[in-house]
């Protein structure tokens, strides 16, 4: 009986040590305005035991992880798939080169594919030139240095485009719709956020206006839209919240522990899931 208690005590110490190993990182992420979820994330294709990264995540958009090697994985954070993991490979054999929102991806051959399916098209089926928005996809993704494009305002034709030079550009595109066909024309392309503005190349971004889910990830830092007068605007009905893009020193500090981040959800290399609160 005594031997049994000794073994149990050793196991408890080992488990405590495992939790303690990540306690500092978990605490830092929570202090940055995130709440930890009860469930964990398992995906052997992305990372295995002892935090060994098999395929580094490049972009985390919607329910999809796009990796640096050009793979795409569908995810479900609430339940595992039949393979026992929270990720699976969709029916797409190509190599992802660039993405536009959750609409379209470009593969290494320069062809376009739908990311998500709908009542008109199947997921990851090829986009044909008959698609009325093919011209828009082509303007945004055709250049070989484009890696990610996002819609800012579809009504005014404003889009943000991240290129491999580490800069984000503003595209203004006009849709000359004559009632039968759509013809897209580029009005202007302007440098919006330079790598110099952040002292290192921009690797990823998400734009949601004045929202805490707006962020910029660089080679060295994380920047997020933060509320500068949170006490006043949360207390008084007639005080509007003010936002400012600033470095999140907490996320920057633990950046090597961040497996994937999309502005609202963060997944660590040790499988914990966090959701943004502020």
């Amino acid at each position: 009986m005594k031997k049994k208690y000794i073994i149990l005590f050793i196991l408890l110490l080992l488990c405590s040590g495992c939790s303690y190993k990540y306690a500092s990182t978990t605490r830092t992420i929570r202090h940055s305005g995130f709440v930890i979820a009860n469930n964990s994330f398992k995906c052997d294709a992305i990372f295995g035991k002892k935090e060994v990264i098999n395929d580094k995540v490049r972009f985390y958009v919607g329910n999809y992880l796009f990796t640096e090697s050009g793979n795409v994985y569908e995810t479900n954070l609430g339940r595992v798939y039949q393979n026992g993991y929270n990720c699976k490979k969709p029916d797409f054999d190509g190599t992802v080169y660039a993405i536009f929102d959750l609409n379209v991806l470009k593969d290494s051959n320069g062809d376009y594919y739908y990311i998500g399916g709908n009542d008109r098209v199947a997921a990851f089926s090829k986009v044909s030139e008959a698609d009325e928005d093919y011209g828009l996809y082509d303007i945004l993704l055709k250049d070989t240095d484009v890696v990610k494009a996002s819609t800012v305002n579809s009504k005014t034709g404003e889009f943000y485009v991240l290129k491999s030079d580490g800069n984000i550009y503003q595209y203004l595109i006009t849709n000359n719709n004559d009632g039968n066909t759509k013809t897209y024309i580029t009005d202007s392309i302007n440098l919006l956020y330079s790598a110099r503005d952040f002292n290192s190349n921009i690797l990823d971004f998400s734009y949601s206006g004045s929202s805490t889910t707006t962020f910029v990830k660089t080679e060295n830092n994380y920047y997020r839209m933060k509320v500068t007068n949170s006490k006043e605007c949360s207390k008084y009905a007639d005080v509007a919240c003010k936002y400012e893009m600033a470095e999140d020193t907490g996320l920057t500090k633990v950046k090597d522990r961040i497996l994937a981040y999309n502005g609202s959800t963060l997944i660590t290399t040790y499988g914990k899931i966090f959701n943004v609160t502020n």
Side-chain angles (χ1 to χ4, degrees), residues 9-23:
F9 179 70
I10 293 173
L11 289 174
L12 287 172
L13 284 177
L14 290 173
C15 291
S16 177
C18 291
S19 299
Y20 180 77
K21 178 181 179 181
Y22 306 114

PDB file of all heavy atoms in Angstrom, residues 9-23:
ATOM      1  N   PHE A   9       2.229   9.700  -5.717  1.00  0.00           N
ATOM      2  CA  PHE A   9       2.843  10.990  -5.394  1.00  0.00           C
ATOM      3  C   PHE A   9       3.792  11.433  -6.502  1.00  0.00           C
ATOM      4  O   PHE A   9       3.832  12.596  -6.898  1.00  0.00           O
ATOM      5  CB  PHE A   9       3.583  10.883  -4.061  1.00  0.00           C
ATOM      6  CG  PHE A   9       4.273  12.149  -3.633  1.00  0.00           C
ATOM      7  CD1 PHE A   9       3.533  13.261  -3.224  1.00  0.00           C
ATOM      8  CD2 PHE A   9       5.654  12.243  -3.670  1.00  0.00           C
ATOM      9  CE1 PHE A   9       4.162  14.434  -2.842  1.00  0.00           C
ATOM     10  CE2 PHE A   9       6.288  13.411  -3.287  1.00  0.00           C
ATOM     11  CZ  PHE A   9       5.545  14.508  -2.873  1.00  0.00           C
ATOM     12  N   ILE A  10       4.567  10.488  -7.033  1.00  0.00           N
ATOM     13  CA  ILE A  10       5.511  10.801  -8.122  1.00  0.00           C
ATOM     14  C   ILE A  10       4.760  11.242  -9.375  1.00  0.00           C
ATOM     15  O   ILE A  10       5.150  12.203 -10.049  1.00  0.00           O
ATOM     16  CB  ILE A  10       6.399   9.577  -8.424  1.00  0.00           C
ATOM     17  CG1 ILE A  10       7.330   9.304  -7.233  1.00  0.00           C
ATOM     18  CG2 ILE A  10       7.221   9.807  -9.684  1.00  0.00           C
ATOM     19  CD1 ILE A  10       8.129   8.008  -7.357  1.00  0.00           C
ATOM     20  N   LEU A  11       3.651  10.542  -9.670  1.00  0.00           N
ATOM     21  CA  LEU A  11       2.856  10.911 -10.849  1.00  0.00           C
ATOM     22  C   LEU A  11       2.272  12.308 -10.705  1.00  0.00           C
ATOM     23  O   LEU A  11       2.232  13.086 -11.665  1.00  0.00           O
ATOM     24  CB  LEU A  11       1.731   9.883 -11.057  1.00  0.00           C
ATOM     25  CG  LEU A  11       2.172   8.503 -11.536  1.00  0.00           C
ATOM     26  CD1 LEU A  11       0.978   7.545 -11.556  1.00  0.00           C
ATOM     27  CD2 LEU A  11       2.789   8.603 -12.934  1.00  0.00           C
ATOM     28  N   LEU A  12       1.817  12.650  -9.500  1.00  0.00           N
ATOM     29  CA  LEU A  12       1.263  13.980  -9.260  1.00  0.00           C
ATOM     30  C   LEU A  12       2.325  15.053  -9.433  1.00  0.00           C
ATOM     31  O   LEU A  12       2.074  16.129  -9.985  1.00  0.00           O
ATOM     32  CB  LEU A  12       0.658  14.058  -7.851  1.00  0.00           C
ATOM     33  CG  LEU A  12      -0.654  13.308  -7.633  1.00  0.00           C
ATOM     34  CD1 LEU A  12      -1.032  13.301  -6.158  1.00  0.00           C
ATOM     35  CD2 LEU A  12      -1.763  13.941  -8.469  1.00  0.00           C
ATOM     36  N   LEU A  13       3.532  14.766  -8.982  1.00  0.00           N
ATOM     37  CA  LEU A  13       4.626  15.717  -9.153  1.00  0.00           C
ATOM     38  C   LEU A  13       4.960  15.934 -10.620  1.00  0.00           C
ATOM     39  O   LEU A  13       5.210  17.049 -11.072  1.00  0.00           O
ATOM     40  CB  LEU A  13       5.884  15.211  -8.416  1.00  0.00           C
ATOM     41  CG  LEU A  13       5.902  15.363  -6.887  1.00  0.00           C
ATOM     42  CD1 LEU A  13       7.178  14.744  -6.332  1.00  0.00           C
ATOM     43  CD2 LEU A  13       5.818  16.839  -6.498  1.00  0.00           C
ATOM     44  N   LEU A  14       4.955  14.831 -11.372  1.00  0.00           N
ATOM     45  CA  LEU A  14       5.247  14.925 -12.805  1.00  0.00           C
ATOM     46  C   LEU A  14       4.193  15.742 -13.518  1.00  0.00           C
ATOM     47  O   LEU A  14       4.502  16.598 -14.356  1.00  0.00           O
ATOM     48  CB  LEU A  14       5.340  13.520 -13.421  1.00  0.00           C
ATOM     49  CG  LEU A  14       6.553  12.695 -13.012  1.00  0.00           C
ATOM     50  CD1 LEU A  14       6.431  11.269 -13.553  1.00  0.00           C
ATOM     51  CD2 LEU A  14       7.835  13.346 -13.520  1.00  0.00           C
ATOM     52  N   CYS A  15       2.918  15.500 -13.220  1.00  0.00           N
ATOM     53  CA  CYS A  15       1.828  16.253 -13.855  1.00  0.00           C
ATOM     54  C   CYS A  15       1.893  17.718 -13.478  1.00  0.00           C
ATOM     55  O   CYS A  15       1.668  18.604 -14.298  1.00  0.00           O
ATOM     56  CB  CYS A  15       0.482  15.671 -13.425  1.00  0.00           C
ATOM     57  SG  CYS A  15       0.167  14.040 -14.105  1.00  0.00           S
ATOM     58  N   SER A  16       2.219  17.992 -12.211  1.00  0.00           N
ATOM     59  CA  SER A  16       2.341  19.372 -11.753  1.00  0.00           C
ATOM     60  C   SER A  16       3.455  20.072 -12.493  1.00  0.00           C
ATOM     61  O   SER A  16       3.342  21.234 -12.876  1.00  0.00           O
ATOM     62  CB  SER A  16       2.596  19.387 -10.242  1.00  0.00           C
ATOM     63  OG  SER A  16       2.796  20.693  -9.785  1.00  0.00           O
ATOM     64  N   GLY A  17       4.554  19.319 -12.713  1.00  0.00           N
ATOM     65  CA  GLY A  17       5.674  19.903 -13.450  1.00  0.00           C
ATOM     66  C   GLY A  17       5.299  20.244 -14.867  1.00  0.00           C
ATOM     67  O   GLY A  17       5.709  21.267 -15.406  1.00  0.00           O
ATOM     68  N   CYS A  18       4.471  19.391 -15.504  1.00  0.00           N
ATOM     69  CA  CYS A  18       4.038  19.644 -16.881  1.00  0.00           C
ATOM     70  C   CYS A  18       3.202  20.915 -16.952  1.00  0.00           C
ATOM     71  O   CYS A  18       3.357  21.729 -17.856  1.00  0.00           O
ATOM     72  CB  CYS A  18       3.221  18.454 -17.390  1.00  0.00           C
ATOM     73  SG  CYS A  18       4.207  16.964 -17.628  1.00  0.00           S
ATOM     74  N   SER A  19       2.274  21.074 -15.999  1.00  0.00           N
ATOM     75  CA  SER A  19       1.420  22.254 -15.986  1.00  0.00           C
ATOM     76  C   SER A  19       2.240  23.499 -15.707  1.00  0.00           C
ATOM     77  O   SER A  19       2.025  24.555 -16.303  1.00  0.00           O
ATOM     78  CB  SER A  19       0.328  22.091 -14.912  1.00  0.00           C
ATOM     79  OG  SER A  19      -0.475  20.976 -15.206  1.00  0.00           O
ATOM     80  N   TYR A  20       3.193  23.372 -14.782  1.00  0.00           N
ATOM     81  CA  TYR A  20       4.009  24.514 -14.400  1.00  0.00           C
ATOM     82  C   TYR A  20       4.862  24.993 -15.565  1.00  0.00           C
ATOM     83  O   TYR A  20       5.143  26.188 -15.689  1.00  0.00           O
ATOM     84  CB  TYR A  20       4.893  24.149 -13.216  1.00  0.00           C
ATOM     85  CG  TYR A  20       5.767  25.278 -12.748  1.00  0.00           C
ATOM     86  CD1 TYR A  20       5.237  26.325 -11.988  1.00  0.00           C
ATOM     87  CD2 TYR A  20       7.119  25.321 -13.084  1.00  0.00           C
ATOM     88  CE1 TYR A  20       6.028  27.374 -11.571  1.00  0.00           C
ATOM     89  CE2 TYR A  20       7.918  26.361 -12.671  1.00  0.00           C
ATOM     90  CZ  TYR A  20       7.368  27.390 -11.905  1.00  0.00           C
ATOM     91  OH  TYR A  20       8.156  28.428 -11.511  1.00  0.00           O
ATOM     92  N   LYS A  21       5.261  24.084 -16.419  1.00  0.00           N
ATOM     93  CA  LYS A  21       6.117  24.423 -17.550  1.00  0.00           C
ATOM     94  C   LYS A  21       5.484  25.499 -18.426  1.00  0.00           C
ATOM     95  O   LYS A  21       6.174  26.371 -18.956  1.00  0.00           O
ATOM     96  CB  LYS A  21       6.394  23.159 -18.381  1.00  0.00           C
ATOM     97  CG  LYS A  21       7.243  23.400 -19.620  1.00  0.00           C
ATOM     98  CD  LYS A  21       7.443  22.112 -20.384  1.00  0.00           C
ATOM     99  CE  LYS A  21       8.269  22.347 -21.647  1.00  0.00           C
ATOM    100  NZ  LYS A  21       8.453  21.097 -22.426  1.00  0.00           N
ATOM    101  N   TYR A  22       4.161  25.438 -18.566  1.00  0.00           N
ATOM    102  CA  TYR A  22       3.464  26.383 -19.442  1.00  0.00           C
ATOM    103  C   TYR A  22       2.681  27.444 -18.678  1.00  0.00           C
ATOM    104  O   TYR A  22       1.987  28.255 -19.287  1.00  0.00           O
ATOM    105  CB  TYR A  22       2.504  25.615 -20.353  1.00  0.00           C
ATOM    106  CG  TYR A  22       3.169  24.509 -21.138  1.00  0.00           C
ATOM    107  CD1 TYR A  22       2.842  23.169 -20.907  1.00  0.00           C
ATOM    108  CD2 TYR A  22       4.134  24.791 -22.094  1.00  0.00           C
ATOM    109  CE1 TYR A  22       3.463  22.156 -21.621  1.00  0.00           C
ATOM    110  CE2 TYR A  22       4.758  23.785 -22.809  1.00  0.00           C
ATOM    111  CZ  TYR A  22       4.414  22.459 -22.562  1.00  0.00           C
ATOM    112  OH  TYR A  22       5.031  21.469 -23.257  1.00  0.00           O
ATOM    113  N   ALA A  23       2.789  27.438 -17.361  1.00  0.00           N
ATOM    114  CA  ALA A  23       1.999  28.359 -16.547  1.00  0.00           C
ATOM    115  C   ALA A  23       2.299  29.816 -16.868  1.00  0.00           C
ATOM    116  O   ALA A  23       1.398  30.657 -16.959  1.00  0.00           O
ATOM    117  CB  ALA A  23       2.237  28.083 -15.062  1.00  0.00           C
TER     118      ALA A  23
END
